[in-house]
Amino acid sequence: MEEAEADPRLLRFPLASPLVRLFATVPGAAAWAARIAVDTGHRGLARHIGAVTEDVRDLQPTRAALSAEHVRGVLDRDPVALARAATQHRHAWARARAASDPAASLEDRAGPPPA
């Protein structure tokens, strides 16, 4: 997986620094973490991941806009945002993750199967 250089301003976030560094340098990591948090019932953690991703996007708008949209798609179960990330992300792994998330999003909306 390709890593990128993080904007030095991102390293000023003292408590979120490990997440900021991860989300700024590893494409798709934020959305993957958000999906795991949602799938395991940790919505608070998922929202925190979303907030950190928005911070990264604010400092690196060109590089992190689709990652932030992908995370929002996961959190909001928004198939349009997920489809946009799946078709427009420049990194293959992040595109593949986004492509698999619309199905998960639809399953989330449908709820558990009837007994």
Side-chain angles (χ1 to χ4, degrees), residues 17-94:
S17 184
L19 283 181
V20 168
R21 186 181 304 257
L22 176 67
F23 297 166
T25 59
V26 180
W32 177 80
R35 170 55 62 196
I36 296 297
V38 167
D39 287 351
T40 58
H42 294 93
R43 295 289 299 174
L45 176 59
R47 286 190 298 276
H48 176 71
I49 290 166
V52 172
T53 305
E54 295 292 327
D55 290 340
V56 172
R57 189 219 48 221
D58 290 346
L59 291 170
Q60 295 186 156
T62 303
R63 296 177 46 127
L66 280 172
S67 291
E69 184 163 14
H70 186 174
V71 170
R72 273 193 317 276
V74 169
L75 296 178
D76 298 340
R77 300 179 185 118
D78 180 349
V80 174
L82 295 170
R84 194 172 7 257
T87 59
Q88 295 180 11
H89 209 292
R90 64 187 178 123
H91 297 281
W93 186 79

Side-chain angles (χ1 to χ4, degrees), residues 92-105:
W93 186 79
R95 273 195 314 272
R97 290 296 318 147
S100 70
D101 278 331
S105 175

